[in-house]
Amino acid sequence: MSAEGATGAGGAGRAAGVALISGDLAAAEVEVSPATIRKWVQLGHLTAAGRQGRRLLYRLEDVFAAERAARRRS
């Protein structure tokens, strides 16, 4: 699935022209489990930028920033 595919019809998953991706796709991009993405959200290291139904959506650059921060902490 492409980042575009996660946004749904009509650009519902877009914030100011930026494509948003699901937590599962975000996890695949930084090679962590979806549970790690959820943990980063709980810890405040990553913030959802949108929603599609119940699914949280993230900006890819935010996911990469959270991943870099996690690597620095460990």
Side-chain angles (χ1 to χ4, degrees):
M1 175 189 289
S2 71
E4 194 68 32
T7 62
R14 289 188 168 266
V18 176
L20 303 177
I21 60 172
S22 69
D24 289 342
L25 184 55
E29 286 292 325
V30 293
E31 299 178 348
V32 299
S33 71
T36 299
I37 297 294
R38 292 190 299 272
K39 189 65 162 180
W40 289 347
V41 171
Q42 288 175 345
L43 295 172
H45 303 310
L46 179 62
T47 302
R51 238 190 162 97
Q52 185 177 38
R54 293 180 59 197
R55 176 187 284 182
L56 295 176
L57 302 173
Y58 306 93
R59 292 179 11 174
L60 189 55
E61 75 179 56
D62 293 343
V63 174
F64 286 138
E67 189 261 347
R68 283 191 305 271
R71 291 198 190 282
R72 282 194 304 266
R73 286 188 299 273
S74 48

